[in-house]
Amino acid sequence: MTGRPEPVIPRQDDGAGYGVQCPLCRLAPAPDSLRCPGCQEDLAPLVHLRLRGRLAYNEGLRLARAGSLGEAVGELERAVRLEPGLVVAWVVLGKAAARLGDRARAAEALGRALRLDPGHPGAGAALTGLATARSGGERSGGERSGGHAGHASPAADV
């Protein structure tokens, strides 16, 4: 992933219904359907439950882009609680926390993203930016020295 984080578009795990099966028939839906092939029950609510971490991430990303960083952090925290391995959620959480001035939370989230995906370019760059800012490039409140509006923060691409 390069540039701005993108919404996570859920994809089907093994070609069958996003990894769900009918609780009654124990059958997985066909790849192009969310209905049980046996009883024809709608399995969409099960898919929603399975993907709720990704849905929370998408909402957190939307809120961050809209400038509602406090709300975004809450939604992103929920996303990583529901799906701890969702690297992009950890990255955006770290960037949003950095923009709010919560460096400890930002470093924790970005570090977690790098432990999950050591080569993730967004996490590595944001953590480097955070470390650079910590070593004297920023004033309290997250403003870079010089205070020019066009300067990017570690979370500028959220």
Side-chain angles (χ1 to χ4, degrees), residues 30-150:
D32 61 345
S33 173
L34 290 178
R35 292 214 172 267
C36 172
C39 66
Q40 295 301 306
E41 190 65 36
D42 181 12
L43 302 178
L46 293 176
V47 171
H48 186 272
L49 283 173
R50 187 169 197 291
L51 300 176
R52 62 188 180 196
R54 292 164 192 232
L55 295 170
Y57 161 74
N58 287 342
E59 179 62 10
L61 182 60
R62 185 193 67 75
L63 288 165
R65 287 182 175 164
S68 300
L69 295 176
E71 291 177 69
V73 165
E75 233 7 76
L76 294 162
E77 296 257 352
R78 194 173 95 156
V80 298
R81 229 181 6 262
L82 293 167
E83 194 171 338
L86 190 55
V87 175
V88 291
W90 285 108
V91 173
V92 176
L93 173 58
K95 290 178 178 185
R99 287 190 58 193
L100 286 173
D102 187 349
R103 290 181 173 151
R105 183 65 181 124
E108 177 186 333
L110 294 167
R112 181 72 172 267
L114 285 172
R115 284 191 300 279
L116 290 167
D117 181 0
H120 192 283
L127 197 55
T128 298
L130 188 63
T132 301
R134 182 174 293 163
S135 68
E138 285 196 17
R139 298 180 196 160
S140 63
E143 184 182 318
R144 288 189 178 270
S145 58
H148 298 271

